[in-house]
Amino acid sequence: MDLPVTDASRRALFVETALVLGVSLGASGIYAVLSIIRKVTAQASLSSQTTTMNEAVTPDRPWLDLAYQLAGVGLGVVPAFLAVYLLLRDDASAARRIGADLRRPGFDLGRGMLLAAAIGIPGLALYLTARALDLNTTIAAAGLGQTWWAIPVLVLAAAQNAILEEVVMVGYLFTRWSQAGWSFVTIALTSAFIRGTYHLYQGFGGFVGNLAMGLIVAYAYRRWDRVGPLVIAHTILDVVAFVGYAVLAGRVSWL
């Protein structure tokens, strides 16, 4: 039986979630707000500016650059493990309860593929429309050059993004804020808003698209009680974006 929520326990839950966000996606949100302010106050129009993701650090030294990229992937997923660890301290079955396990791989893969299709196609249309309306920067989703390890690193980066965002923004926050007494609607709206905010560095299209994605995955999580399909869907979306850009950039006009 769940213990009654007191003012002290509610405050403790909010402090904990604020700290987890502060070392992960909340900090990204602050930098994203600063980034969009810098971009909209620049002389160049928003759509003429390029936002490069997965950028090389030392392109003249590929092996050192590979080490940088792998370190970024490894360290980037740590806040998700921290979030699960904090949940496990209270409930040894927490990973299973939020669906952050491998019990149902077929279910997770099938639902994840459907969710990726439902989000990805409208998302691409929104990006192109926002860029045409000068509401979004041009996204260069991969900037690692022609190294032999570029594609594997892009796949790892996609998985890292997916694990971090879905475990923290959905599995962890939905659990903690529910324990604090928040309604599902309030949690879904708050989580989706934060998700949109830390994508503002892309432009306003990135904010709207990811806010919508946050609401969709919130509904999916409530329906399936598992973050597994959300991680699969997010990984597929980012793999298509990152690897697709690396392969097609310069070959199609709309990238």
Side-chain angles (χ1 to χ4, degrees):
M1 179 181 296
D2 293 333
L3 296 176
V5 179
T6 64
D7 288 341
S9 63
R10 185 178 290 109
R11 282 194 298 270
L13 290 171
F14 288 145
V15 169
E16 182 189 289
T17 55
L19 291 173
V20 170
L21 287 172
V23 298
S24 59
L25 296 165
S28 298
I30 293 172
Y31 284 117
V33 170
L34 295 174
S35 177
I36 193 63
I37 292 172
R38 174 175 58 83
K39 289 172 180 175
V40 298
T41 55
Q43 292 185 347
S45 64
L46 200 57
S47 60
S48 68
Q49 299 180 49
T50 299
T51 298
T52 302
M53 304 167 65
N54 304 299
E55 195 168 8
V57 180
T58 57
D60 58 324
R61 286 163 287 173
W63 286 101
L64 181 59
D65 196 30
L66 174 59
Y68 268 108
Q69 302 301 329
L70 293 178
V73 169
L75 294 174
V77 81
V78 169
F81 291 130
L82 171 62
V84 173
Y85 170 77
L86 291 171
L87 295 179
L88 287 172
R89 290 201 310 170
D90 296 340
D91 178 3
S93 65
R96 180 171 182 170
R97 287 181 62 181
I98 68 173
D101 56 25
L102 301 177
R103 289 184 303 117
R104 305 180 67 185
F107 179 91
D108 291 347
L109 180 61
R111 297 301 190 279
M113 292 174 66
L114 290 174
L115 189 58
I119 294 173
I121 296 173
L124 177 59
L126 176 62
Y127 162 69
L128 294 174
T129 301
R131 194 176 68 175
L133 294 174
D134 195 29
L135 295 173
N136 216 79
T137 61
T138 297
I139 304 299
L144 296 179
Q146 299 301 314
T147 57
W148 64 266
W149 45 261
I151 300 302
V153 165
L154 290 173
V155 172
L156 288 175
Q160 178 257 308
N161 288 344
I163 293 169
L164 173 64
E165 293 190 40
E166 305 312 328
V167 170
V168 172
M169 297 307 302
V170 181
Y172 170 73
L173 289 182
F174 276 54
T175 299
R176 283 303 196 227
W177 287 342
S178 177
Q179 291 170 342
W182 282 19
S183 69
F184 171 79
V185 172
T186 300
I187 296 170
L189 289 172
T190 305
S191 176
F193 178 80
I194 296 172
R195 186 188 294 257
T197 299
Y198 62 73
H199 285 92
L200 263 172
Y201 69 94
Q202 300 175 5
F204 299 105
F207 171 81
V208 172
N210 281 279
L211 186 150
M213 178 178 174
L215 296 175
I216 293 170
V217 298
Y219 171 78
Y221 181 67
R222 188 179 195 184
R223 182 176 179 86
W224 299 328
D225 288 324
R226 293 188 60 78
V227 297
L230 315 185
V231 172
I232 294 293
H234 197 145
T235 301
I236 291 172
L237 290 171
D238 279 6
V239 166
V240 171
F242 298 167
V243 176
Y245 184 89
V247 172
L248 298 176
R251 294 182 174 87
V252 294
S253 60
W254 47 268
L255 283 178

